[in-house]
Amino acid sequence: MNAGNSIASRLPDFTPNTPSFNDEGTSTAGWTVTNATLSQPDGTTVRVTQNTTGTISTIAQSATSPVAGQDWVLYAKIRARASAGDTVYLQYKSAGSLLVKIYLNYNSVDGTSNPGTVSMRYTSASAVNTNQLIDTINDSTVAMELSIQFDSKFSTYTVKLRQADGSWEFLAMMGSIATVDSGTITIAVNNVSATAGAWVEYDYVTLVSPDLVAIGDSMTAGSPLFNPDPSWGRTDGRSTWMQWCPVYPDRRNNLIVNKGVGGDTSAMIESRITADCMDNLPKVVFLQASANDAGASISQSARTTSIQSCVKAITGGGAKCVLYNALY
């Protein structure tokens, strides 16, 4: 299903959330630079080149999540040289050990340098590392647009890759984590072999509250193949409608955050609309009228009341509501 083009003209317009951190790659200013040379190959990207082989090169800036303890998305458009021995990472780290990191050309699971490999590391406040291999997708001739999403409901980091149509392909999810609410965004490059001149380029780095949230039952969650709750162990993101629906393709912050919970009735969705949805400051909410109401012997009138209460909570919170699957 590719519903993006057919529904785009009917989606509500909105004023996007303001990022708490944003660098558009139009200047080298603002970064704390260590053992690196900064340049601008085309005026719209910043290149970080390693000065001394074997000594890590970094650029860093302070950052604060949009709302403490709530959802955020870190977007980045990035590419790197993919030579033997090169290691690149994008990291958001607190003042202590707590961090989330995306590696390029490095497998954090087995600690090996592999051109083209993408992996993820989460380090807890007690300095315990959890690593996950993501894919082999890096190409130094093409910049990747990646997103790292923190989900406050499910305590997860989810990594996705933007597709040509503006939709987001699920790559990996890591659960049982804590959020970095403030700290430092770092971009680093290193080569430990004899090949000098390792580099990484970024077009933009943006930290922002999600503009788009979907809330509902298992149809929203992606059952039976995917669930945003990692305890289910279902990670086939291709089964979610969000992966195949390129809404607002011209906007950067168009990743749809999945707040689906299998088995929920409309009343149960109503009971969590504030904590799971509106507290995260969405601008558009895709609200599913639950398919479980009839099976739970909930009357159509009671269901309508619950859904109307959800709509009022959404609009009252300053967001636009898109209601779907509203057949009883």
Side-chain angles (χ1 to χ4, degrees), residues 25 91-92 100 140 187 195 216 218 261 321-322:
Q91 172 182 283
Y92 185 26
V100 59
S140 62
I187 299 173
T195 305
S218 60
V261 173
C321 180
V322 177

Side-chain angles (χ1 to χ4, degrees), residues 11 212-215 241 247-248 256 284-288 322 324:
L11 289 173
L212 312 178
V213 173
I215 187 168
W241 65 263
V247 297
Y248 303 100
I256 305 172
V284 177
V285 177
F286 295 89
L287 171 64
Q288 181 200 348
V322 177
Y324 71 100

Side-chain angles (χ1 to χ4, degrees), residues 15-21 66 206-209 211 253 283:
T15 301
N17 278 310
T18 301
S20 59
F21 176 91
T206 301
L207 180 64
V208 65
S209 292
D211 281 338
N253 188 12
K283 295 297 186 176

Side-chain angles (χ1 to χ4, degrees), residues 56-84:
I56 192 167
S57 304
T58 64
I59 59 172
Q61 287 198 55
S62 297
T64 301
S65 300
V67 183
Q70 299 300 324
D71 291 9
W72 51 257
V73 187
L74 180 62
Y75 293 97
K77 186 173 182 180
I78 192 168
R79 72 185 185 115
R81 191 183 76 166
S83 298

